[in-house]
Amino acid sequence: QVQLVEIGGGWVQAGGSLRLSCVASGRTISRTTVAWFRQPPGSEREFVAGFFRSNSNGFYKDSVKGRFTISRDNAKNTVYLQMNHLKAEDTAIYYCAADETLILSSVRRHTAYDYWGQGTQVTVSS
C-alpha cells in the first residue's frame, strides 16, 4: 500500500507560481509511476504531468509544457510539481496518483492508477 499526501495548494494571482509536493509513505516510489492530475470545477479529471516508473523524463499535458515541471526526490520519497506562469484555467483540485503496474500507454489515464492523495485546491485569480 502507498499513502500519498499533497501539500502546497493555495490561492495565487495569474502569472504567479506555486509548488506542490506529493509525499509518499508505506512504500518507496522511486520506481513507481507517479503523476499529477487535476479536476477543474465541473470537469473531468485530467492528466497534468507524470513519471513512468523510474524514468527521469516527465510527461506533460500540452497546455502546461514550458510552465510546469515535475521532479522527484527519492531520498524524501516525494514528487513535486513546480507551476509557473499560472493562468486562471489552471484552477482545479490537484491530485497525486501512483501505480506500480500500469503500462506506458496508460500513464495519462486516471482510471489506471491505484493510489491517490486527497487532493489540494489551486485557485488562480485573474
Side-chain angles (χ1 to χ4, degrees):
Q1 288 282 341
V2 178
Q3 292 80 43
L4 304 171
V5 176
E6 300 96 340
I7 301 169
W11 179 92
V12 65
Q13 286 190 323
S17 299
L18 283 173
R19 188 177 81 156
L20 305 182
S21 302
C22 173
V23 183
S25 61
R27 197 170 294 178
T28 181
I29 59 170
S30 61
R31 298 180 180 182
T32 300
T33 298
V34 182
W36 288 96
F37 288 81
R38 67 187 183 188
Q39 189 160 13
S43 299
E44 297 280 320
R45 194 167 297 192
E46 60 186 22
F47 174 83
V48 177
F51 287 117
F52 177 67
R53 298 185 185 172
S54 59
N55 195 306
S56 60
N57 295 319
F59 294 86
Y60 294 91
K61 177 180 173 64
D62 284 347
S63 64
V64 308
K65 284 180 182 177
R67 300 189 297 123
F68 291 11
T69 303
I70 189 171
S71 62
R72 67 200 312 170
D73 184 335
N74 291 334
K76 295 182 178 179
N77 218 28
T78 299
V79 173
Y80 302 97
L81 184 68
Q82 178 67 44
M83 305 185 293
N84 297 328
H85 304 294
L86 282 159
K87 304 176 181 180
E89 52 262 43
D90 295 318
T91 293
I93 300 174
Y94 282 70
Y95 296 91
C96 178
D99 195 272
E100 298 169 311
T101 62
L102 64 78
I103 58 176
L104 180 59
S105 61
S106 296
V107 168
R108 299 172 186 267
R109 289 176 46 216
H110 67 87
T111 54
Y113 289 78
D114 281 342
Y115 304 110
W116 289 87
Q118 81 287 353
T120 186
Q121 177 70 47
V122 171
T123 303
V124 184
S125 172
S126 58

